[in-house]
Amino acid sequence: MLTAADVYPPFGLRVVAGPLELRGLTDELLLELCAVAEAGIHDPDEMPFHVPWSTAPAGQLSRNTAAYHWGKRATFSPDDFCLDLAVLLDGRVIGAQGVAARDFPVTRTGETGSWLGREHQGRGLGTAVRRAFCELLFDHLGFEEITSAAFLDNPASLAVSRKVGYRPTAVTRRRREGELALNQGLVLTPETFVRGEVPVEVTGAGAVRSFFGLAPA
């Protein structure tokens, strides 16, 4: 009998790094993620995202979050995909970590993005999650380069990227909530990647590699 992971291999992906886990974003985990988003991601006076999705009214934020992830599943292809994983701490969902890529079988690059619930920030968890995720991408899923970006007024995100080994690239001028904001580009390669000390265990990566259109590792 077919399982959900047979139809959509990211559901079977699991990355374990000590008390932290990254898992394929099933509907069960997605509901938990929606609750984390509703509880708050950032100070109301701040906006770390280019698209201000986190400011939707209560209830609507959950619907928007679920619809976004359902849509990315439905349109997933090797040439245009978002791989989004739930972040769990001691078995409890605390946020999400993902990567978006285009023409991946050729480019072997993608842009990472993440968020944690506000109560879980400032404890080093973001750095640990990013390190585990980048190890997954480089060592198991065929990535040769990883990019990211953060607004210059988001020092916490920039600090995480710096600790993981991302190097700054260009600063671009972006419109954010109707105003100018400066966005710092970042790039990470296997040579600059600063790995964590906690061993990372990965299961389910082979099926996801094939889903990306790559040969087995």
Side-chain angles (χ1 to χ4, degrees):
M1 179 180 293
L2 284 175
T3 67
D6 291 327
V7 177
Y8 187 71
F11 284 160
L13 189 58
R14 187 181 183 197
V15 182
V16 180
L20 285 168
E21 294 181 65
L22 291 87
R23 296 186 198 165
L25 198 51
T26 63
D27 278 350
E28 181 180 5
L29 294 176
L30 180 54
L31 290 176
E32 294 184 42
L33 185 67
C34 290
V36 175
E38 291 279 7
I41 302 171
H42 55 79
D43 188 288
D45 296 329
E46 300 174 353
M47 176 43 63
F49 308 119
H50 178 225
V51 177
W53 61 272
S54 53
T55 60
Q60 186 63 49
L61 178 56
S62 291
R63 289 190 289 274
N64 292 352
T65 301
Y68 169 81
H69 289 290
W70 287 332
K72 291 302 180 182
R73 286 183 205 162
T75 59
F76 198 111
S77 78
D79 292 327
D80 189 355
F81 67 79
C82 286
L83 174 67
D84 292 305
L85 305 181
V87 176
L88 295 87
L89 176 64
D90 295 324
R92 175 188 173 196
V93 175
I94 64 170
Q97 171 72 65
V99 63
R102 289 181 180 271
D103 302 314
F104 179 71
V106 175
T107 66
R108 299 294 187 96
T109 187
E111 181 166 353
T112 53
S114 63
W115 62 269
L116 297 179
R118 192 173 175 185
E119 67 177 290
H120 305 289
Q121 297 170 15
R123 299 162 52 189
L125 297 173
T127 302
V129 168
R130 188 92 67 88
R131 282 179 168 148
F133 190 63
C134 290
E135 187 165 327
L136 165 72
L137 299 185
F138 282 140
D139 295 355
H140 300 275
L141 296 183
F143 281 73
E144 297 176 359
E145 177 190 83
I146 302 169
T147 63
S148 189
F151 289 110
L152 293 183
D153 60 5
N154 187 1
S157 179
L158 291 169
V160 168
S161 296
R162 185 170 58 252
K163 291 174 185 176
V164 176
Y166 288 76
R167 297 293 183 260
T169 55
V171 173
T172 57
R173 296 164 66 87
R174 305 289 293 271
R175 174 176 173 156
R176 182 182 58 177
E177 297 189 295
E179 297 182 356
L180 173 67
L182 300 179
N183 202 41
Q184 175 68 66
L186 303 155
V187 64
L188 181 70
T189 63
E191 293 74 24
T192 63
F193 179 32
V194 179
R195 296 171 181 267
E197 297 180 357
V198 177
V200 176
E201 300 176 7
V202 176
T203 56
V208 175
R209 241 187 108 89
S210 297
F211 202 47
F212 285 174
L214 302 182

